[in-house]
Amino acid sequence: MDVTHPDSEFRAFLAEGRFMIQRSRGTGAFVFYPRAVAPGTGARDLEWVEASGRGIVYSTTVVRKRPPEPSYNVALIDLDEGVRMMSRVEGLDPEAVTIGMIVCARIIDQDGEPVVVFDPVEDGQ
Amino acid sequence: MSGFPSGRTAVVGAATFGQGRAPGFEASDLAAIAAGLALEDAGLSLTDVDGLFFCHPTDTMGGLSFAQYLGIRPKVTDNNRTGGSAFQTYVEHAAFLLDAGLIDCALIAYGSNQATATGKLVSTVQPMRYEAPYRPLNPVSSYALATARHMHQYGTTREQLGAVALAAREWAQLNPEAFKRDPLTLDDYLASRRVSDPLTVLDCCLVTDGAAAIVMTRADRARDLKRKPVHVLGAAAETHHREIGWLDDLTVTAAQASGARAYAQAGLGPSDIDVVQVYDAFTINTILFLEDLGFCPKGEGGRFVQDGAIAPGGSLAVNTNGGGLSCCHPGMYGLFTLVEAVRQLRGECGDRQITGAERALAHGNGGVLSSQATVILGL
C-alpha cells in the first residue's frame, strides 16, 4: 500500500483499529514515525504494513503529579519490527513497569483521538 | 585532516551578567550588557564586531533583533538553534570564518530572563506529534529515560547521581556568582521530590536568569589585545536525533564523535585536559559526557564520580563554576561552560582556581542529548 499522506493515513488506520507502520520496499527496513521518505537512504518507497504489536520496554519513567492527579507511565517500546516508539504501559502501577517487560499494543480512544498504548504480556501468551 | 584552524583563533574577552535573578531586564538587555562587558574585557568595542553569533530564548530571528538592538551591521549573523550546544558550534564556525578572513571579530552572546519572566524553562520547542499523546514532562522525562537505561545497563545508582549534584554544589560554594550555594547533603538529595523517575528536583538544572558573552579574533590580533589570549585548539559537533526515542543507545551520545574530532584537531587527549566543563542539565549528563569524552570507560561514570573525584580537591576538575545544577541555567547553558573554561585558563577563578590550568574542554549539549559540540581551549 503506497504512502501518500503519511500522518493522516496513519491516523485513519488507527481510527479503523489498525496499527500500521511503514517499511521500505528496497531495504525491507521498518520505519516509525510515519514519513514520506525513508530515513538513512532517502528512498521514496515506503509502504504501509500491519505492525505485530509485540514489543519490549526499552526504558521507562513515571511522571510524578501532585495528588490527587495520578502519576503516569511514559515508556519507550522497541517493537519486534526493530523500530522504537514512545508510549505507555497500562494495567499496572506506573512504577511497576520495568525495562525488558514484554508488551502488546492496544488502540485506545484518548480525548477523541486513537492512540497506541501497551499492556504487559503474561508468559506463554 | 579536518582543516580546523587549530590555535589560529582565540577568545579574547569573556563575561557573565545577571546570573540568578535579574529583575527588570529583558533577555536582550542582559545579553547586551554581557556583550559590552566582554568587549571591554577584550579592549574592543561594538564597532569592531563584524560577526554576530546569537541565540535568543524565544525569538527565532533573535540574531537579527540583537544586531538591531546593538546598532551593528554584522557581515555574518549566525542564529543557529541546536539548543544549548549552539554556542560551541558558534565557536567552531567563528574559528573558520575568522581564519578565512570573512570576519575579524566575532561576538557570541546569550541572555535570558526566564526565571523572573515566567519562573520556568522557556523555549520555542513544540511537542513532537508522536510523543505528545503520552505527555512526557520534557525535557526531564527524556533524560529520565536515559538515566533508567544507564542504571539498568551499568548498575549506576541514585547515590552516584547524587555525587554529581553534591560536587556541583561544592564548586558553587566556591563561586561568588553561583545562584545555589547553601549546603547540600546526600540525605537531602535522596529525599528530594521525584519529578520523572528516577530523576528528582535535585537531579535537574536550576531555572535562572543570566547572560554570557565571549569575543573571538585571530591569534595574531589577539596578541596585541589587553588580555591573555585563550586559543581555540579544537571544535567539533554532531547531531544524532531530536527526540530521545531516536537515539539508538540511550547511554551513548554524539559527544563520542564530537569529542574525538575536537581532540584530533587539538592533537590532545583526555589526559591532557586540566579543566572540564560539561553541560549538566541533569545529573546523568555529567556521567554520560565524562564517559563519551574519554575521562572514564563507558558505563563507569557512576563509579568514577561516587567518591568525590569531580568535587573540589578531586582527581578531575569538572564544572568548577557549579554548573547548570548549582551555578546558573538560564535555558541554554552552553556559553557558560566556555566562559568558565576561559576564566580558569586565565587564572581568574579565586577560591575555585585550578592551579596551572593550561588546557580546558567546554562541552555543549542541545535538545535531549541530541546535539553535542565540544570545544578545546588552551593557552
Side-chain angles (χ1 to χ4, degrees):
Chain A
M1 206 178 318
D2 287 335
V3 176
T4 55
H5 300 92
D7 182 66
S8 57
E9 287 170 10
F10 174 72
R11 283 168 202 280
F13 285 129
L14 282 186
E16 294 169 7
R18 302 171 74 191
F19 177 24
M20 303 286 276
I21 60 174
Q22 294 174 307
R23 182 173 61 193
S24 169
R25 287 195 176 92
T27 64
F30 291 91
V31 174
F32 187 83
Y33 49 93
R35 298 169 219 209
V37 172
T41 64
R44 292 187 296 274
D45 66 349
L46 293 171
E47 59 179 346
W48 290 110
V49 291
E50 192 113 29
S52 68
R54 299 266 303 188
I56 184 166
V57 176
Y58 176 73
S59 195
T60 180
T61 182
V62 182
V63 176
R64 297 288 170 182
K65 306 301 285 186
R66 292 182 195 277
E69 197 182 342
S71 299
Y72 55 88
N73 176 257
V74 174
L76 295 175
I77 310 295
D78 283 347
L79 298 181
D80 283 0
E81 288 84 355
V83 297
R84 186 177 296 159
M85 66 183 293
M86 181 172 279
S87 185
R88 68 173 169 267
V89 183
E90 297 193 332
L92 71 174
D93 288 341
E95 55 266 38
V97 179
T98 54
I99 291 174
M101 184 175 271
I102 307 296
V103 292
C104 187
R106 172 165 55 93
I107 300 168
I108 64 164
D109 179 285
Q110 178 173 293
D111 306 324
E113 286 284 324
V115 166
V116 178
V117 298
F118 288 81
D119 296 311
V121 173
E122 304 299 329
D123 283 349
Q125 231 178 290
Chain B
M1 291 294 287
S2 72
F4 187 79
S6 182
R8 299 210 292 269
T9 66
V11 177
V12 293
T16 54
F17 180 75
Q19 294 180 86
R21 295 289 182 273
F25 291 109
E26 297 298 321
S28 293
D29 295 327
L30 296 168
I33 294 168
L37 293 170
L39 285 162
E40 279 173 31
D41 182 52
L44 293 168
S45 70
L46 268 182
T47 54
D48 292 302
V49 176
D50 56 3
L52 179 61
F53 302 77
F54 180 77
C55 198
H56 186 282
T58 54
D59 177 359
T60 54
M61 279 202 268
L64 316 187
S65 307
F66 199 53
Q68 173 178 282
Y69 184 115
L70 295 176
I72 61 173
R73 297 181 173 185
K75 294 177 198 160
V76 170
T77 306
D78 187 339
N79 205 157
N80 128 28
R81 301 188 73 87
T82 59
S85 61
F87 309 93
Q88 274 73 10
T89 67
Y90 293 156
V91 170
E92 179 191 15
H93 299 173
F96 279 111
L97 291 164
L98 287 163
D99 189 58
L102 266 73
I103 56 174
D104 294 318
C105 177
L107 171 64
I108 302 175
Y110 177 75
S112 167
N113 65 334
Q114 65 171 12
T116 52
T118 70
K120 61 184 184 186
L121 176 72
V122 297
S123 154
T124 59
V125 172
Q126 302 299 315
M128 196 265 198
R129 182 178 288 245
Y130 299 98
E131 282 196 343
Y134 308 106
R135 297 181 296 146
L137 182 66
N138 271 327
V140 189
S141 293
S142 295
Y143 287 89
L145 291 163
T147 308
R149 275 309 298 189
H150 205 278
M151 293 171 121
H152 175 77
Q153 287 180 224
Y154 305 116
T156 305
T157 65
R158 287 273 306 142
E159 287 75 7
Q160 291 166 347
L161 295 167
V164 174
L166 267 57
R169 184 61 57 88
E170 287 179 45
W171 282 114
Q173 289 173 326
L174 302 177
N175 177 10
E177 285 191 358
F179 183 64
K180 278 292 225 182
R181 305 185 68 201
D182 51 316
L184 177 65
T185 68
L186 188 60
D187 285 342
D188 297 334
Y189 170 83
L190 292 172
S192 66
R193 179 171 62 82
R194 291 178 293 186
V195 179
S196 189
D197 295 9
L199 299 181
T200 68
V201 174
L202 290 175
D203 290 292
C204 302
C205 60
L206 306 173
V207 174
T208 70
D209 300 333
I214 60 174
V215 179
M216 285 174 62
T217 190
R218 278 183 294 280
D220 53 353
R221 187 180 186 201
R223 279 197 294 273
D224 302 327
L225 296 175
K226 69 183 205 185
R227 305 308 301 269
K228 180 160 62 177
V230 172
H231 294 95
V232 180
L233 304 181
E238 187 151 314
T239 299
H240 279 188
H241 61 283
R242 172 64 189 90
E243 280 80 26
I244 195 69
W246 287 272
L247 174 57
D248 290 343
D249 179 340
L250 263 57
T251 69
V252 180
T253 77
Q256 277 190 350
S258 66
R261 278 188 275 117
Y263 285 131
Q265 291 162 359
L268 299 171
S271 61
D272 300 309
I273 304 297
D274 302 311
V275 184
V276 181
Q277 312 294 339
V278 294
Y279 192 134
D280 57 342
F282 299 90
T283 49
I284 192 65
N285 294 39
T286 303
I287 289 173
L288 288 172
F289 298 148
L290 289 175
E291 293 172 355
D292 289 339
L293 295 168
F295 295 101
C296 64
K298 177 51 66 184
E300 290 300 313
R303 284 173 284 278
F304 180 77
V305 304
Q306 70 185 357
D307 296 319
I310 63 170
S315 58
L316 184 67
V318 176
N319 295 356
T320 52
N321 59 347
L325 292 169
S326 281
C327 178
C328 74
H329 195 288
M332 295 182 198
Y333 172 73
L335 189 49
F336 296 83
T337 70
L338 286 156
V339 171
E340 179 67 5
V342 167
R343 287 174 169 170
Q344 283 287 353
L345 297 185
R346 287 174 168 183
E348 297 173 343
C349 286
D351 291 343
R352 67 186 194 282
Q353 179 64 43
I354 305 305
T355 307
E358 294 183 353
R359 290 173 185 130
L361 182 150
H363 180 79
N365 162 68
V368 287
L369 299 168
S370 317
S371 160
Q372 304 298 325
T374 312
V375 171
I376 297 173
L377 300 170
L379 293 176

